[in-house]
């Protein structure tokens, strides 16, 4: 008994499950579910369906080329039963599955590392765009310091403007007092 792979999606087809289609030239196609069989009959390309393993491999989302895949290849050569051979193959199968799992995890981490840098760059871009509207507590430390510096500059500018306005008001009041004094002196004369 062996676990076959689905011809369309690449998933496992367990014994007694799925659909088997035999073409006129005696080529067997196994499908894990009717969805895969239906798409195969409609002559759809599995590399264009986002839910298939073929798409994931062509899009670079899954490990496509690896030496550990050579162990999974189908071998139709009949072998005489040998207990030690079966034991060693079972040990090797466990070891190969561990190796494959580690390689898949490493591949996923590499793929996500690039994705994470893109997300952080995009997040920083958004923060820069909306940093005036965000409260200080939600900003990263670097931007908190920048925002504090800009707030300090704005405060200094506002104080300078207020000082200028107060000086202008004082000057206007002084000119009004002078003109009123001059008018009073003119009236008394």
């Amino acid at each position: 008994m062996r676990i076959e792979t689905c011809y369309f999606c690449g998933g496992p087809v367990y014994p007694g499950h799925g659909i088997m289609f035999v073409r006129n030239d005696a080529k067997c196609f196994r499908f894990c579910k009717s969805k895969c069989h239906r798409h195969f009959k409609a002559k759809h390309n599995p590399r264009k369906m986002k839910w298939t393993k073929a798409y994931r491999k062509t899009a670079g989302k899954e490990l496509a080329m690896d030496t550990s895949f050579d162990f999974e290849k189908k071998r139709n050569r009949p072998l005489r039963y040998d207990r030690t051979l079966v034991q060693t193959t079972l040990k090797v199968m466990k070891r190969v599955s561990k190796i494959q799992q580690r390689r898949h995890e490493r591949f996923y981490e590499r793929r996500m590392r690039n994705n994470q840098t893109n997300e952080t760059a995009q997040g920083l871009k958004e923060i820069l765009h909306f940093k005036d509207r965000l409260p200080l507590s939600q900003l990263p430390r670097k931007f908190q310091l920048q925002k504090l510096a800009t707030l300090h500059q704005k405060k200094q500018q506002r104080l300078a403007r207020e000082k200028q306005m107060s000086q202008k008001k004082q000057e206007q009041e002084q000119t009004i007092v002078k003109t009123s004094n001059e008018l009073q002196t003119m009236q008394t004369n």
Side-chain angles (χ1 to χ4, degrees), residues 10-26:
V13 182
Y14 295 101
H17 292 267
I19 302 164
M20 183 170 153
F21 171 70
V22 183
R23 204 164 50 188
N24 288 342
D25 59 353

Side-chain angles (χ1 to χ4, degrees), residues 56-103:
R56 292 186 63 77
K57 285 181 181 176
T58 54
K61 294 180 181 294
E62 261 184 32
L63 197 59
M65 296 297 291
D66 192 31
T67 54
S68 63
F69 292 141
D70 295 338
F71 295 110
E72 287 183 0
K73 286 185 179 171
K74 192 174 179 180
R75 291 170 191 84
N76 288 323
R77 197 166 14 120
L79 289 173
R80 189 172 208 161
Y81 178 74
D82 185 11
R83 186 175 185 153
T84 56
L85 179 66
V86 171
Q87 287 175 346
T88 53
T89 53
L90 288 174
K91 286 179 186 176
V92 169
M93 284 170 62
K94 287 178 186 175
R95 185 158 164 70
V96 166
S97 66
K98 285 181 183 177
I99 291 169
Q100 278 183 344
Q101 187 178 6
R102 268 190 258 127
R103 287 182 181 175

Side-chain angles (χ1 to χ4, degrees), residues 14-170:
Y14 295 101
H17 292 267
I19 302 164
M20 183 170 153
F21 171 70
V22 183
R23 204 164 50 188
N24 288 342
D25 59 353
K27 185 168 176 10
C28 295
F29 299 95
R30 291 188 180 270
F31 304 102
C32 56
K33 49 190 172 255
S34 60
K35 177 182 181 182
C36 298
H37 188 223
R38 192 173 63 242
H39 283 290
F40 175 78
K41 287 192 294 186
K43 297 183 180 178
H44 291 162
N45 190 350
R47 286 173 296 196
K48 292 185 180 177
M49 301 284 177
K50 291 192 176 184
W51 50 273
T52 62
K53 286 202 186 246
Y55 172 83
R56 292 186 63 77
K57 285 181 181 176
T58 54
K61 294 180 181 294
E62 261 184 32
L63 197 59
M65 296 297 291
D66 192 31
T67 54
S68 63
F69 292 141
D70 295 338
F71 295 110
E72 287 183 0
K73 286 185 179 171
K74 192 174 179 180
R75 291 170 191 84
N76 288 323
R77 197 166 14 120
L79 289 173
R80 189 172 208 161
Y81 178 74
D82 185 11
R83 186 175 185 153
T84 56
L85 179 66
V86 171
Q87 287 175 346
T88 53
T89 53
L90 288 174
K91 286 179 186 176
V92 169
M93 284 170 62
K94 287 178 186 175
R95 185 158 164 70
V96 166
S97 66
K98 285 181 183 177
I99 291 169
Q100 278 183 344
Q101 187 178 6
R102 268 190 258 127
R103 287 182 181 175
H104 281 290
E105 287 170 1
R106 205 175 315 129
F107 178 77
Y108 180 78
E109 286 172 6
R110 270 195 226 120
R111 196 168 65 91
M112 288 298 124
R113 191 180 317 138
N114 191 14
N115 190 17
Q116 204 170 23
T117 54
N118 290 343
E119 284 179 4
T120 53
Q122 190 174 1
L124 289 175
K125 195 182 278 187
E126 285 182 22
I127 286 173
L128 285 173
H129 191 265
F130 296 110
K131 70 180 178 184
D132 298 332
R133 300 177 195 160
L134 290 172
L136 267 176
S137 60
Q138 290 183 350
L139 289 175
R141 181 88 175 127
K142 182 172 95 174
F143 295 114
Q144 285 180 359
L145 296 174
Q146 286 179 352
K147 189 166 183 177
L148 285 172
T150 55
L151 287 173
H152 182 69
Q153 281 180 336
K154 286 180 181 178
K155 187 176 181 181
Q156 294 295 329
Q157 290 172 354
R158 190 180 73 237
L159 289 172
R161 271 186 272 143
E162 287 176 358
K163 191 174 182 181
Q164 286 177 350
M165 294 294 283
S166 64
Q167 285 177 352
K168 282 183 182 178
K169 280 185 181 179
Q170 286 177 355

